């Protein structure tokens, strides 16, 4: 089939230039007047057509702009039928053939594969964007290790509750002792882990620092406690 018009297949439907159709039909009326009259047959802006700005170079080598319209294949078929002449008949038959090819099983499968690939690409992009957060949660939930209080505050994501406020909150509700170590009952429940960290001072003296870590189970428990506290509810 010889190509009569430049057809756009990029979108989810077929479109083409109204100006090219106007020229092919050899309409004597000015394009703007003709297109306005065609729209009176019930076509809707941004549904059946949309205005687009095009550029062209004049004989004097000056660049100018003009308005064209991208129209759907259905609109093009109806306009061709309205003409009631051989050119209109030829254009309409051409559009019908394009529509048949577009709706052939091979083309439908091809479009489906393209859409599937787009969905996969978008999903992969979302996974990449979420990767740091996903990996962090997996580290907490799937590992025997626990996280420090500063990291726990980030995971909880409560507005205004950083590391120090989280320590204060847990002390206020009787989960942590004044030295920020958990009471034994909460350790036994598997919420916390207390570790010793050795460090050496510049003078060579070795000291031991006690650090409180939180398991995923403990994070869930703390999140529940925060939700029960009226002071922090609006920040959740």
């Amino acid at each position: 089939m010889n190509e009569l018009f430049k057809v756009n297949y990029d979108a989810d439907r077929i479109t083409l230039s109204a100006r090219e159709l106007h020229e092919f039909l050899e309409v004597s009326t000015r394009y703007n007047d003709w297109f306005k009259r065609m729209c009176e047959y019930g076509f809707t802006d941004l549904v059946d057509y949309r205005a687009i700005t095009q550029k062209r170079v004049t004989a004097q080598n000056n660049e100018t702009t003009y308005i064209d319209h991208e129209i759907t294949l259905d609109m093009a078929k109806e306009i061709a039928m309205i003409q009631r002449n051989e050119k209109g008949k030829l254009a309409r038959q051409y559009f019908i053939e394009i529509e048949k090819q577009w709706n052939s099983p091979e083309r439908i499968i091809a479009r489906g594969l393209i859409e599937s690939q787009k969905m996969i690409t978008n999903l992969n992009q979302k996974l990449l964007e979420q990767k740091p957060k996903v990996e962090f949660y997996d580290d907490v939930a799937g590992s025997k290790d626990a996280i420090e209080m500063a990291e726990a505050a980030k995971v909880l994501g409560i507005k205004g509750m950083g590391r120090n406020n989280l320590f204060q909150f847990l002390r206020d509700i009787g989960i942590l002792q004044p030295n920020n170590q958990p009471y034994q009952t909460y350790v036994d429940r598997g919420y916390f882990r207390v570790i010793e960290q050795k460090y050496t001072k510049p003078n060579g003296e070795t000291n031991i620092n006690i650090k409180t870590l939180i398991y995923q189970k403990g994070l869930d428990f703390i999140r529940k406690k925060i939700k029960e506290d009226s002071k922090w509810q609006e920040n959740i």
Side-chain angles (χ1 to χ4, degrees), residues 74-119:
D74 286 340
M75 181 174 178
K77 283 193 299 182
E78 290 195 44
I79 289 176
M81 183 175 61
I82 291 169
Q83 306 311 306
R84 294 187 175 86
N85 57 32
E86 285 302 315
K87 280 283 190 176
K89 181 180 179 181
L90 181 61
R92 186 168 182 274
Q93 289 174 342
Y94 179 77
F95 296 146
I96 290 173
E97 185 59 33
I98 287 178
E99 189 174 42
K100 285 181 181 178
Q101 293 182 8
W102 176 258
N103 291 323
S104 67
E106 295 82 2
R107 287 289 187 93
I108 292 174
I109 292 172
R111 291 200 300 275
L113 290 173
I114 292 172
E115 288 302 313
S116 297
Q117 187 59 50
K118 287 180 181 178
M119 291 175 64

Side-chain angles (χ1 to χ4, degrees), residues 199-217:
Y199 63 96
T200 303
K201 291 184 177 181
N203 61 7
E205 181 183 349
T206 299
N207 284 48
I208 295 177
N209 179 47
I210 305 299
K211 181 174 289 188
T212 297
L213 304 179
I214 307 174
Y215 288 107
Q216 177 65 47
K217 188 177 179 181

